[in-house]
Amino acid sequence: MTKRLNRADSVERLVPEQGLSPYQQALRDRLLAAPVVPAPEPWRPVFESEYGVPVGGLLGIGFASHPESGHDLVMVVSHDGHGLYDAVTGEKIARDRDPDPEDSTPEAVADLTCPGLGPIAGSRIRIAGLFGGGLHTTNEDGWTLEAVTPTWPNDRVLLSVDGGLPHSGPYGEQWWHIFHSTYSELRAFGFSPSGETIAVATSSDVSLWTRRL
């Protein structure tokens, strides 16, 4: 465990972690020194709020494709039901506040799926989050996502084009710290299957970035 001295301008200054090698300490210090910055072009945030949209009791998220527009869709599963968002416009296009108890949460079935709603009704969507599963952490264009925790339990989501850790290249040119979960537990993060959407979900909200115009 580390002992916090103080906080200034959102940069944490911590006593060196006991037991780390010089290389590990240098990597940890580099991660701690990287402030949250906007995702680089061509990525843009889908929602206006810095923390996306609030979803109380969020359990997990999954991706689908709109059968008409082709837009990525994000299905959100929470204690309050299921919701479906257009990942390009940010519009909530479907809501089910009272799903069938047998399908309300993904752990009820072996493949961690929940039934689709709205334009994807009749399909089943794989959900990644509290009960397991995962999303794509790379896309075909060489972008990489990863979560690091240099100060447990606050996860940081990094976006990069340098292949991931140890991120020896210039910060802000080859890797970016795009999300810092200081207030809620990280549930899931990753790219859509199309590679056009980034999603980060915590226990209290979901944030999206798209590169589609």
Side-chain angles (χ1 to χ4, degrees):
M1 297 293 291
T2 57
K3 180 180 179 181
R4 182 164 307 192
L5 298 178
N6 65 10
R7 177 182 292 270
D9 297 329
S10 76
V11 176
E12 296 161 327
R13 294 193 295 136
L14 302 166
V15 172
E17 183 77 28
Q18 298 297 317
L20 293 183
S21 69
Y23 170 81
Q24 292 171 324
Q25 186 65 52
L27 176 58
R28 179 172 179 268
D29 290 345
R30 191 182 318 135
L31 295 174
L32 287 173
V36 177
V37 294
E41 294 183 351
W43 301 102
R44 64 171 178 85
V46 174
F47 303 116
E48 293 184 1
S49 171
E50 179 182 0
Y51 295 107
V53 292
V55 181
L58 188 150
L59 301 174
I61 60 172
F63 282 107
S65 179
H66 197 292
E68 297 177 1
S69 67
H71 287 186
D72 284 338
L73 303 176
V74 177
M75 181 171 171
V76 178
V77 175
S78 74
H79 287 301
D80 293 328
H82 300 169
L84 191 68
Y85 291 86
D86 186 307
V88 177
T89 67
E91 178 187 4
K92 182 188 288 187
I93 59 177
R95 182 80 166 91
D96 185 353
R97 296 183 180 277
D98 189 26
D100 189 313
E102 294 183 358
D103 284 319
S104 61
T105 55
E107 89 279 13
V109 294
D111 59 357
L112 297 175
T113 62
C114 285
L117 65 163
I120 55 171
S123 62
R124 296 194 67 87
I125 309 302
R126 291 183 181 274
I127 303 298
L130 181 63
F131 301 109
L135 303 174
H136 294 269
T137 55
T138 61
N139 71 7
E140 293 182 352
D141 294 335
W143 295 94
T144 297
L145 285 167
E146 59 199 332
V148 297
T149 315
T151 52
W152 187 88
N154 298 333
D155 293 292
R156 302 165 184 232
V157 177
L158 308 181
L159 174 66
S160 66
V161 290
D162 61 3
L165 288 172
H167 299 305
S168 56
Y171 181 69
E173 295 181 20
Q174 296 185 352
W175 63 287
W176 301 263
H177 173 196
I178 64 169
F179 188 91
H180 195 165
S181 182
T182 59
Y183 53 90
S184 300
E185 294 180 3
L186 186 66
R187 288 283 189 255
F189 68 97
F191 295 101
S192 61
S194 72
E196 294 184 340
T197 303
I198 295 170
V200 177
T202 74
S203 56
S204 64
D205 50 55
V206 59
S207 297
L208 303 175
W209 294 260
T210 182
R211 60 180 184 177
R212 186 161 179 172
L213 299 176

